[in-house]
Structure formats: C-alpha cells, structure tokens
Amino acid sequence: MAVSKAARQSPLKVDPETDQLISQGARFLGLTKNDLVTEAVQVYLEQRREDLRAGMVEALQVLDGSPKSDVMLLTGLTAQEIDAVGGVDE
C-alpha cells in the first residue's frame, strides 16, 4: 500500500503592493489570503485555457525525445540555428 505524503506548502513571494491587494481582497471577501490566491489562479487559468493548450501543443511538437529537441526547448533556438552552430550529437 502506497503512503502519500502531504504536499508541502511553499510561500508565494509577491511585491508589497500585490500583497496589500491580496490582503484587502481577502478581508473584503471573507477569505483567507491563501484561499483568495487559490481561487484567483484557478479562475485566471480557466480564462486562459486556450493559451495554455496552445503552449502545451507547441511544447509537445518540439519534444520528440531527441537531444536536439531538448536543446530547442531549453534555448528557444530553431533546428536550423542549432545546425548552423555545429548541431547536437544525437
């Protein structure tokens, strides 16, 4: 039987002005700061679902399991640019 560990919470670092907005918003909505940020991120990502999908599709098109595709994804270079500087040993 697998024992699952509880995910460790990590602090979210934001600038002081954003922290003040989060604090005020949470207070006025009767939420904790954590609950407000959680809900806000969920709503934001739902609104940007198509952008997320497009980004995932683009990343998957680049990743074909080859070292060149790894370099392309990590550097943003095209296959032609990588070949122009000597390529990657496959």
Side-chain angles (χ1 to χ4, degrees), residues 19-72:
D19 184 59
Q20 185 176 15
L21 286 172
I22 294 168
S23 295
Q24 289 173 350
R27 181 173 45 250
F28 296 137
L29 293 170
L31 300 170
T32 66
K33 287 171 63 172
N34 186 54
D35 288 344
L36 174 63
V37 171
T38 298
E39 189 174 326
V41 168
Q42 290 170 348
V43 168
Y44 180 79
L45 292 177
E46 179 62 34
Q47 290 175 349
R48 304 282 311 265
R49 179 184 296 238
E50 184 55 33
D51 295 332
L52 283 169
R53 190 195 67 72
M56 288 187 290
V57 167
E58 183 179 330
L60 288 173
Q61 288 173 342
V62 172
L63 289 174
D64 64 6
S66 69
K68 184 185 281 187
S69 70
D70 292 344
V71 172
M72 289 170 58

